[in-house]
Amino acid sequence: MNRNEQIYVRRRIEAVAGLLLLGLLLLAVRAVDLQWLQADVLSAKAEKQRYREYTIMAPRGPILDSQGRTLAESVEIPSIAAIADEVPVERVGALAKALGLSASKLKRKLRKRKGFVWLARQVPPSVAEKVMALNIPGIRREQEWRRYQPLGPETGHLLGFVGIDGRGLEGVERTWNDTLTGKPGLRQVRRDARGHSLPDSGWIRPPVPGKAMTLTLDASIQSLAYAALAEGVREQRAKGGSVVVMRPKDGAILAMVNWPGYNPNNYRHFHPGEWRNRAITDVFEPGSTMKPFTVAAALESGRWQPDSRVFCENGSMRVADYTIHDDHKAGWLDITGILVHSSNIGAAKLAMDIGPEALYDTLSRAGFGSRSGTGLSGESHGIVLPPDRWGPVETANIAFGQGIAVTPLQLAAAFSVLANAGEHVAPVLFADQLGKQPPERVMKAKIARQVVRMMEYATSKDGTGWKAVPAGYSVAGKTGTAQKPNSRGGYSKGKYNAVFAGLVPADDPQLAIVVVVDEPKKSIYGGQVAAPIFRHIAESVLPYLGVSARIENDEPEWKTLEVADVASLAAAESVNGMSMREVRRFAASRGLRLRVHGSGWVIRQKPASTNGLEHGDMLEVWLNE
Amino acid sequence: MRGWFKLWMMLPLCIAVLAAGQIWLSHLRYEMSLETQRLVAKQKDIQRESSKLRLEAASLTRPERLRQYANSKLGMAPPKPMQVVHL
């Protein structure tokens, strides 16, 4: 190798070494850049790749009735979503078929945006499984909560419903949305390369389910009231109706129903007008059901006594330029007679004598003209004009329930005042609110009792409300028939509200029930239309509540009662299904010693058969309600 | 000298054993994590099922359904107040 060649080789080695050095230098620079300058950003990126955060939706709290029965509950069901730009166009047809949608509609949804898009929300699990089995890129199964109300239309108006995003849109669900809504949780998961969670996953913020709410409502009473109202409305070919059942003692609302109902599980299929809880949102002129309060105001004024007599003008009386008529023409009537014969003229005379202020005072303290305090959204105040706007005609009209508008709930609460010996107990919808508000005195206890006794006469055979009385019970109630106002400020011809409001049993009222039937066709009278619905509800609910019918000796139904042939208790091999009383009788008849656990009905016994038991042996039973 | 050498030879062995133990432990943790995930999923399934069953029970025992069933299938009717005696 000559010198030139040596120099050439050397230069080449130097060049390669130089390149290597340069490479090393660049690597060092890059290493410094990565490990030092970009360290924080890159570490954060790596952590982000390794850790993933998921939002976990919390369920809405259930709504329960006073017996703990489920009225509304959320269940987790699947929804199908997509990352729109990842879904292959050629698979859209198969996807549409599995989802039961048209391909064009699905394409429109996918074209809406590039990222996340909902394809079908809250679908049956079988549909979701079918879709996921197609294994289409970009298609995701998400879990969502869906609200169900097992009683459907029976509780629909009161409970309302929940939208697809879990927000309460009507009724209890809307008003107490914040309490019922759960707080979503945030979970951090460390994943391996295959996407499996690694051990140090944990909650950043655990989900908090919504609070359960227990209502004062009783599902059985609600259902009975709904069925009775539906039957009555159908029979009268009426437009609709409402019923409120209250327990006067503590103001508990036991039932609140409207007909026609709507199914809250499928609310979109109904017109928004049908979603309204008309028992609190809609007002009506109460008609003669206002008369007990006029009478109470008159008695409270001290100017009138129960045995005072009023001349009822033989059915027609002129007040200013307006003539008041009575359906049952009468001359002299005592105060009880005014209620029994439902005399408009008698009530008007009482009101005009005591003056607007005294009547207004009684009405407003009984709760008319102000919200009842349940807190339900959309509740109406009702319409009670201030007394300075009452002329003689207004005073006379309001005395018999015209020119005043109330809600069925207000009327039930006002009748509860009479049941509670003159004390107003605000209606309560939530079990935890019972007994929280102190009662307010509206009238003297003596006067309230006198009015209740008078109303009892109004449901006697001579009164207008006799059809409201179930066999074995006494009812203190009042019928009402009111013409419906029209849009021109007058009264519409042939359109009436038939009303019955009452307390039962009259001597110790356990229930205040208000029935309003809107535009009945067969008859217009409260005593013919609403009173039978009242009776139907009362005769079903009172035995259920443990209020026994009073059995009179001359009661024909009692005489014809059939008694089932019951096998002798002592011959039974098993005591399963027996009540506490029956099992005690059984043990006594066989001379057995008895040990009882629980209450209700026998669900287990020891020994399993009573055949081998001798006198003095031990029988142990477990009862469960 | 020979004793020292033997002791130095033990060191890599110990390191190897500890490393193997560490791998085994992390495998165990991984398996346990999978098991936990499986159990959590199962718990969620059971909660979902129980919620569905609760709703189903509420739906099947709703008073209106029982009334219709008693009426149409069993020929029963609601008792008159006089037929109910509270003991």
Side-chain angles (χ1 to χ4, degrees):
Chain A
M1 190 184 290
N2 59 27
R3 187 173 166 77
N4 280 345
E5 279 175 349
Q6 273 181 353
I7 291 169
Y8 176 68
V9 168
R10 198 177 187 157
R11 292 281 177 270
R12 277 178 68 182
I13 290 168
E14 280 171 1
V16 169
L19 282 173
L20 281 173
L21 204 66
L22 187 68
L24 273 174
L25 196 69
L26 286 173
L27 276 176
V29 168
R30 184 64 177 149
V32 168
D33 178 42
L34 291 176
Q35 295 293 331
W36 192 7
L37 300 176
Q38 292 195 56
D40 291 345
V41 180
L42 294 175
S43 303
K45 268 189 181 172
E47 291 290 290
K48 210 172 173 184
Q49 274 185 352
R50 207 145 36 106
Y51 286 98
R52 200 165 161 191
E53 284 174 5
Y54 293 94
T55 301
I56 310 282
M57 297 307 290
R60 232 175 137 74
I63 302 177
L64 310 168
D65 84 340
S66 57
Q67 310 291 321
R69 286 173 286 194
T70 304
L71 298 177
E73 176 141 2
S74 297
V75 286
E76 220 177 352
I77 65 164
S79 286
I80 302 297
I83 305 299
D85 47 351
E86 289 179 16
V87 180
V89 184
E90 64 276 9
R91 306 291 305 273
V92 170
L95 181 60
K97 199 177 164 193
L99 283 171
L101 297 172
S102 71
S104 56
K105 192 176 175 184
L106 193 61
K107 275 181 191 160
R108 265 203 307 278
K109 280 188 176 191
L110 287 168
R111 254 187 252 127
K112 256 191 211 167
R113 66 173 80 99
K114 282 189 171 178
F116 183 92
V117 60
W118 287 111
L119 297 182
R121 296 185 76 172
Q122 303 187 349
V123 295
S126 57
V127 172
E129 273 160 28
K130 218 191 288 178
V131 170
M132 295 319 286
L134 294 172
N135 206 15
I136 299 171
I139 297 298
R140 296 164 56 158
R141 177 192 168 124
E142 302 284 336
Q143 287 299 114
E144 289 194 287
W145 292 97
R146 182 170 175 180
R147 198 70 159 164
Y148 281 105
Q149 288 180 24
L151 267 67
E154 293 176 3
T155 51
H157 285 117
L158 181 63
L159 301 185
F161 53 83
V162 171
I164 202 147
D165 290 319
R167 181 182 287 272
L169 298 178
E170 281 287 333
V172 170
E173 297 278 19
R174 176 183 171 170
T175 314
W176 286 275
N177 185 54
D178 290 347
T179 312
L180 289 165
T181 307
K183 290 192 178 76
L186 197 60
R187 188 170 173 78
Q188 192 180 52
V189 180
R190 195 162 70 100
R191 301 181 312 160
D192 66 5
R194 283 176 285 174
H196 292 130
S197 297
L198 291 172
D200 57 350
S201 306
W203 289 106
I204 295 175
R205 191 179 62 238
V208 182
K211 281 189 189 141
M213 297 190 93
T214 304
L215 305 186
T216 55
L217 210 74
D218 186 305
S220 297
I221 300 176
Q222 179 85 358
S223 178
L224 284 167
Y226 186 80
L229 177 65
E231 195 185 313
V233 167
R234 272 197 292 256
E235 199 180 303
Q236 291 294 330
R237 297 198 301 276
K239 195 175 159 192
S242 299
V243 167
V244 173
V245 182
M246 265 180 74
R247 188 167 55 217
K249 199 169 53 186
D250 55 4
I253 298 170
L254 300 176
M256 187 189 281
V257 296
N258 301 288
W259 178 270
Y262 78 97
N263 188 355
N265 301 315
N266 209 359
Y267 64 92
R268 281 195 217 89
H269 290 190
F270 295 85
H271 189 270
E274 291 170 274
W275 300 343
R276 232 172 43 242
N277 182 4
R278 296 185 294 277
I280 57 159
T281 59
D282 287 16
V283 293
F284 65 99
E285 289 197 346
S288 300
T289 53
M290 199 53 32
K291 286 172 188 161
F293 301 97
T294 307
V295 166
L299 296 176
E300 186 81 2
S301 72
R303 295 170 61 86
W304 296 88
Q305 302 301 319
D307 56 355
S308 303
R309 284 155 62 85
V310 180
F311 183 61
C312 293
E313 310 285 345
N314 295 316
S316 176
M317 181 177 79
R318 202 157 176 84
V319 178
D321 56 346
Y322 176 73
T323 308
I324 300 171
H325 297 283
D326 271 346
D327 278 344
H328 309 278
K329 291 172 186 167
W332 287 94
L333 289 175
D334 62 6
I335 305 282
T336 306
I338 290 173
L339 284 185
V340 172
H341 297 287
S342 200
S343 168
N344 293 340
I345 295 169
K349 279 191 164 182
L350 292 179
M352 287 193 292
D353 180 69
I354 60 169
E357 280 81 12
L359 182 56
Y360 176 83
D361 187 47
T362 300
L363 296 183
S364 55
R365 281 196 289 156
F368 296 117
S370 52
R371 288 196 182 120
S372 65
T374 56
L376 281 164
S377 61
E379 188 180 354
S380 170
H381 286 92
I383 303 167
V384 184
L385 293 175
D388 52 8
R389 289 176 62 188
W390 295 17
V393 175
E394 286 78 16
T395 308
N397 275 347
I398 289 170
F400 53 85
Q402 283 190 353
I404 178 173
V406 306
T407 65
L409 181 61
Q410 279 178 339
L411 195 57
F415 266 73
S416 297
V417 170
L418 301 172
N420 288 330
E423 284 189 333
H424 179 264
V425 179
V428 176
L429 189 57
F430 295 98
D432 60 354
Q433 295 295 314
L434 286 172
K436 291 253 171 91
Q437 268 192 310
E440 287 171 24
R441 182 150 295 281
V442 176
M443 62 187 79
K444 292 186 197 90
K446 185 182 156 198
I447 289 171
R449 285 195 202 102
Q450 282 169 345
V451 175
V452 169
R453 213 168 304 132
M454 289 175 192
M455 288 199 298
E456 207 178 333
Y457 284 111
T459 59
S460 67
K461 285 289 174 194
D462 297 330
T464 50
W466 64 274
K467 284 194 173 177
V469 186
Y473 297 101
S474 56
V475 171
K478 188 72 196 78
T479 56
T481 308
Q483 250 180 307
K484 286 180 74 175
N486 62 22
S487 53
R488 295 184 299 279
Y491 286 97
S492 50
K493 280 185 182 166
K495 288 184 178 174
Y496 291 86
N497 276 319
V499 190
F500 189 89
L503 309 168
V504 61
D507 48 357
D508 178 21
Q510 299 297 314
L511 297 173
I513 307 174
V514 169
V515 181
V516 183
V517 180
D518 187 14
E519 293 184 28
K521 300 283 184 306
K522 277 171 78 175
S523 168
I524 58 165
Y525 298 108
Q528 301 291 324
V529 178
I533 300 173
F534 179 98
R535 188 191 64 230
H536 191 157
I537 296 169
E539 71 184 9
S540 308
V541 174
L542 288 170
Y544 167 76
L545 291 178
V547 182
S548 298
R550 192 175 295 154
I551 299 157
E552 307 288 348
N553 284 338
D554 59 347
E555 201 66 60
E557 287 179 58
W558 180 245
K559 283 179 187 166
T560 57
L561 185 69
E562 282 181 27
V563 178
D565 184 20
V566 181
S568 167
L569 274 179
E573 278 184 27
S574 161
V575 293
N576 270 339
M578 283 187 190
S579 66
M580 172 95 82
R581 190 186 173 91
E582 285 168 338
V583 81
R584 284 195 191 285
R585 207 183 298 158
F586 171 83
S589 68
R590 296 272 298 266
L592 303 173
R593 287 183 300 134
L594 184 66
R595 185 176 292 162
V596 181
H597 306 274
S599 63
W601 291 268
V602 177
I603 53 161
R604 191 153 70 88
Q605 66 176 67
K606 192 177 165 188
S609 170
T610 58
N611 273 349
L613 290 176
E614 300 285 327
H615 191 277
D617 283 351
M618 171 69 78
L619 172 64
E620 201 171 1
V621 291
W622 285 263
L623 293 87
N624 192 11
E625 272 183 326
Chain B
M1 183 72 190
R2 208 178 158 90
W4 277 108
F5 181 72
K6 273 187 179 170
L7 209 61
W8 278 108
M9 285 296 286
M10 289 299 285
L11 191 65
L13 197 68
C14 285
I15 291 170
V17 168
L18 285 173
Q22 179 65 32
I23 290 167
W24 179 71
L25 269 178
S26 96
H27 175 73
L28 219 63
R29 283 178 69 203
Y30 180 72
E31 290 291 318
M32 205 171 276
S33 163
L34 288 184
E35 180 66 8
T36 311
Q37 276 180 57
R38 199 181 59 75
L39 289 174
V40 167
K42 199 173 168 186
Q43 183 199 29
K44 221 172 160 192
D45 277 350
I46 290 169
Q47 279 171 346
R48 203 175 296 149
E49 190 67 19
S50 119
S51 157
K52 263 187 207 162
L53 288 173
R54 219 171 22 245
L55 260 183
E56 206 173 312
S59 179
L60 289 173
T61 57
R62 64 184 196 276
E64 179 258 340
R65 183 179 177 274
L66 295 181
R67 209 164 39 241
Q68 270 189 4
Y69 187 87
N71 198 335
S72 58
K73 302 265 181 193
L74 307 174
M76 294 169 85
K80 299 267 181 221
M82 311 296 278
Q83 293 172 304
V84 180
V85 179
H86 293 276
L87 301 171

